[in-house]
Structures are given as C-alpha cells and as structure tokens.
Amino acid sequence: MFAQNDGCLSPGQWPRIELEKEFDQHVFACVLSCALKEVESGEATATQSTGLSRAELSDVLTRSFPASAIKAFTLDDASEPEPDMEEELLRGLLLAHARPGDPGSARFAKIIARRAMRNDHLWQDLGLFNRAELSRLLATHFPTLAEGNTQNMKWKKYFYRKLCEAEGFSLCTAPNCRECSDFESCFGPEEGESRLMRVKNGIALD
C-alpha cells in the first residue's frame, strides 16, 4: 500500500517551491514501509519500529494514508515505545533543534532517534531513496542542527559528535579530522541501495 505513495516520488522530481507537507508525507511513507515489513516479519511492532506512540502513529496514518493501513499495523497489539538511554539522548538532541511548535518535527525526532539504532546509513534506516533526502529532512525540521554539519560528515557520526560535545568530551584521538586514520568512516560516501529497493529486489535485510 505504501509503494503507491513511493512510486511517484523519486529524487529530483520535486518542484522548487513544493509544499513541505508532500515531502513529509513521502518520508512517512518510506518509514512506514520499512515498519510494515518489520511488523509482518515479527521483528518489531509498529511502535517499536517507529518510536512513535500508538496515538501518534494512528494520527499519522489517519491523516495521510488509506484506512486499511491502520489495520495492517495492528496498533491494538502494540505497546508504547520505551527508548533506551542512547536513543533518549539522540531524541533530546533532535528535539532541542526542532522547529518550535511543529508536531511534525517532534515526531520526526522520535522516528530518527529510533531508526538510528539500526546498522545501516541513516537514510537507509529510514527507507529513504538517498542521503540527499535525509539532508533535506534535517534541514527542514532541524535547521540549526543541520547547519552545523559544514564538513558534510555522515549524519550518524555528526549526531554523536554533537552529543559528545554537549557532554564536554570527544571520542576522537586525532588532533583534527584530516589527520585521522579513520577519516573514511566519518566522511566517506554513503552509498548503497535503499531498504525499499532491497525488499523489492528480494534481498534479505540484516
């Protein structure tokens, strides 16, 4: 059902002045497509997969997707998500930079923090088509945080650097990034196939 939402939305097709609501709906469709696969495989409930409460998830589905979507996610069987300390810290960082008074930004903070606990690039964890979509999402909903990534660091690495800075320490031992032997892990290309394409092509997800 979510493939219908994704099929007409490909990189580079957005008009210059496009309603943010349409892009947000695209992101929700990508995230929910990943979540539905995890629900169907028994890997996670809908709330565990997205980090949203049942009420929040129900509201997103009701506002933007077919009525059958709510039933597919079996929300009655889902418990409220309980973030661990790492996820809570990341959620707090995002919320601190979220657009004031925007419930969409607050929901994306929860979703991004939860999906960031996965092992792929963050844009893949979210089911997006590429890194550019993630950058657009962050610039829209967390502008002050996104503006700080001036060196185009991988987003997960950048988030954890910001968390370390907030606590007053650094995990890096090199005097600067250019002298670091692990430079590629922070700044290398974030290439690969999207999770949705892997599912479509019948490739198992780790």
Side-chain angles (χ1 to χ4, degrees), residues 14-195:
W14 296 94
R16 182 178 178 83
I17 304 176
E18 182 57 90
L19 294 176
E20 291 176 3
K21 181 179 179 181
E22 293 186 4
F23 181 69
D24 287 355
Q25 184 173 351
H26 162 65
V27 175
F28 279 129
C30 291
V31 171
L32 293 174
S33 292
C34 291
L36 186 58
K37 292 297 180 182
E38 293 175 1
V39 170
E40 291 174 340
S41 67
E43 179 182 346
T45 66
T47 52
Q48 290 171 342
S49 184
T50 62
L52 297 177
S53 68
R54 283 181 295 181
E56 289 171 326
L57 190 52
S58 178
D59 184 59
V60 169
L61 291 167
T62 301
R63 288 175 180 271
S64 305
F65 300 100
S68 57
I70 299 178
K71 184 176 181 180
F73 279 100
T74 59
L75 295 181
D76 290 340
D77 299 331
S79 59
E80 297 300 318
E82 297 182 3
D84 61 19
M85 182 178 295
E86 181 179 352
E87 182 183 341
E88 191 67 55
L89 286 171
L90 181 52
R91 180 189 291 187
L93 172 68
L94 291 161
L95 287 173
H97 292 273
R99 294 193 303 190
D102 186 344
S105 296
R107 289 174 181 177
F108 279 128
K110 293 182 178 181
I111 291 171
I112 292 170
R114 175 56 59 96
R115 300 303 299 178
M117 299 299 104
R118 269 54 176 186
N119 297 322
D120 288 328
H121 297 309
L122 183 53
W123 65 268
Q124 292 173 315
D125 296 327
L126 292 166
L128 300 177
F129 292 161
N130 52 44
R131 187 181 191 270
E133 290 191 333
L134 172 58
S135 296
R136 175 177 175 175
L137 175 67
L138 295 172
T140 299
H141 288 280
F142 313 96
T144 56
L145 181 62
E147 288 170 1
N149 190 6
T150 57
Q151 299 183 62
N152 204 30
M153 178 178 276
K154 292 180 180 179
W155 285 112
K156 281 187 184 180
K157 293 286 187 179
Y158 174 68
F159 291 160
Y160 282 98
R161 168 176 280 190
K162 297 300 289 184
L163 289 174
C164 287
E165 290 176 355
E167 294 298 323
F169 67 91
S170 174
L171 296 177
C172 302
T173 57
N176 59 65
C177 292
R178 293 295 175 183
E179 297 181 25
C180 181
S181 60
D182 203 27
F183 181 86
E184 288 299 317
S185 70
C186 291
F187 294 94
E190 294 187 67
E191 300 173 341
E193 194 170 38
S194 72
R195 290 175 64 93

